[in-house]
């Protein structure tokens, strides 16, 4: 047969320095039905003339490798399943957050569209303290400012030419335009009142300055002036 130990020693003493070698051979232990393949790593310590080796049975190495691979596969599956569950959980949370955000955003969008259509009898519901809540408060301020200007325009239309129009800021172009409109109406009322009152007292020579007005308002004042001129002309001709 094969003299494994002798072969092992002969190969070991030929090693130099820290070099190693290995040998594989079948070995049957007491109580086993058949031999098993065994691999031994060899080394030689020359100062003491020692030969040393460490051996493992190949089937045990394979079993350990299979166990390790099984553990790795199990860990990979756990990582995959854990990642999938994390993605699902994040998706559910994101869906819930999006749904929670969508409801107030839809309400504010509907309110903004109503304001654009001229509807002001609205209520902007509070929406928390985050950015959406800040947006809701800003929309509420817009609705409040719009409502104030609508009420002011209604009072001017009712003839209340002293109505105060509060500017939201120095850049409030609508507020400035409404103040200009109020002042234009007030000047027209003032001049027509002066002319009609003077005519009622027989002062047909009183005239208003049409240049104080613009557009159709100037035409109205000029028309009243012309009417008074026409009414006064026969009187002047009769006195000449």
């Amino acid at each position: 047969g094969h003299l494994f130990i002798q072969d092992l020693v002969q190969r070991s003493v030929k090693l130099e320095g820290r070099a190693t070698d290995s040998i594989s051979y079948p070995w049957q232990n007491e109580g086993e039905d058949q031999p098993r393949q065994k691999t031994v790593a060899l080394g030689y310590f020359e100062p003491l003339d020692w030969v040393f080796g460490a051996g493992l049975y190949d089937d045990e190495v394979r079993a350990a490798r299979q166990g390790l691979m099984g553990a790795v596969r199990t860990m990979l599956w756990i990582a995959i399943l854990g990642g999938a569950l994390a993605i699902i959980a994040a998706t559910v949370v994101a869906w819930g957050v999006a749904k929670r955000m969508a409801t107030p955003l839809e309400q504010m969008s509907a309110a903004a569209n109503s304001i654009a259509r001229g509807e002001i009898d609205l209520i902007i519901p509070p929406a928390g303290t985050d950015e959406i809540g800040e947006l809701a408060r800003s929309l509420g301020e817009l609705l409040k400012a719009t409502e104030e200007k609508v009420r002011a325009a209604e009072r001017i239309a009712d003839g209340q030419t002293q109505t105060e129009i509060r500017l939201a800021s120095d850049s409030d172009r609508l507020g400035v335009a409404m103040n200009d409109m109020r002042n234009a109406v007030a000047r027209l009322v003032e001049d027509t009142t002066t002319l009609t009152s003077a005519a009622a007292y027989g002062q047909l020579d009183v005239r208003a300055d049409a240049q104080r007005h613009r557009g159709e308002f100037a035409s109205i004042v000029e028309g009243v002036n012309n009417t008074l001129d026409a009414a006064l002309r026969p009187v002047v001709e009769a006195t000449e």
Side-chain angles (χ1 to χ4, degrees):
H2 186 189
L3 302 178
F4 301 114
I5 303 301
Q6 180 178 336
D7 187 23
L8 185 151
V9 172
Q10 290 176 353
R11 292 180 62 171
S12 298
V13 297
K14 295 179 181 179
L15 298 174
E16 297 180 356
R18 298 185 178 182
T20 59
D21 197 358
S22 64
I23 185 173
S24 181
Y25 56 89
W27 186 268
Q28 184 174 353
N29 292 312
E30 184 178 354
E32 295 179 344
D33 297 335
Q34 56 185 3
R36 293 186 294 162
Q37 196 69 18
K38 187 174 185 179
T39 300
V40 178
L42 307 174
Y44 177 61
F45 188 60
E46 185 177 1
L48 298 179
D49 195 25
W50 283 2
V51 174
F52 57 88
L56 288 172
Y57 290 100
D58 292 357
D59 56 354
E60 293 177 351
V61 174
R62 286 192 296 271
R65 182 183 297 112
Q66 291 174 355
L68 179 61
M69 293 302 297
V72 171
R73 284 193 294 269
T74 300
M75 292 176 63
L76 285 174
W77 276 112
I78 291 175
I80 293 172
L81 291 175
L85 290 174
I87 292 173
I88 293 172
T91 302
V92 171
V93 171
W95 178 82
V97 172
K99 185 176 181 181
R100 181 177 63 84
M101 294 174 60
T103 299
L105 285 175
E106 289 172 355
Q107 292 174 342
M108 285 184 283
S109 176
N113 289 331
S114 296
I115 295 173
R117 291 192 298 267
E119 302 173 18
I120 60 172
D121 296 327
L122 306 171
I123 297 178
I124 306 298
T129 58
D130 55 5
E131 290 81 358
I132 295 179
E134 185 64 29
L135 179 59
R137 285 187 290 275
S138 298
L139 189 58
E141 290 297 321
L142 172 62
L143 177 61
K144 180 180 177 181
T146 302
E147 184 176 7
E148 287 181 357
K149 289 181 173 59
V150 169
R151 303 307 180 205
E154 290 174 343
R155 290 193 294 271
I156 294 172
D158 287 338
Q160 301 177 37
T161 58
Q162 300 303 315
T163 297
E164 180 182 1
I165 300 173
R166 185 175 62 87
L167 298 182
S169 68
D170 294 338
S171 302
D172 186 358
R173 295 178 61 182
L174 177 58
V176 171
M178 289 187 66
N179 272 320
D180 290 343
M181 177 188 69
R182 179 204 60 193
N183 293 336
V185 172
R187 286 194 299 269
L188 179 62
V189 171
E190 178 186 358
D191 283 351
T192 54
T193 299
T194 298
L195 292 173
T196 56
S197 296
Y201 285 100
Q203 300 173 358
L204 299 179
D205 58 341
V206 175
R207 299 291 181 271
D209 185 3
Q211 293 184 352
R212 293 180 63 204
H213 308 276
R214 291 179 294 179
E216 297 297 326
F217 288 174
S219 298
I220 291 172
V221 173
E222 193 167 333
V224 175
N225 286 338
N226 293 336
T227 299
L228 291 175
D229 288 342
L232 184 60
R233 189 175 301 113
V235 176
V236 174
E237 291 175 352
T239 58
E240 290 179 351

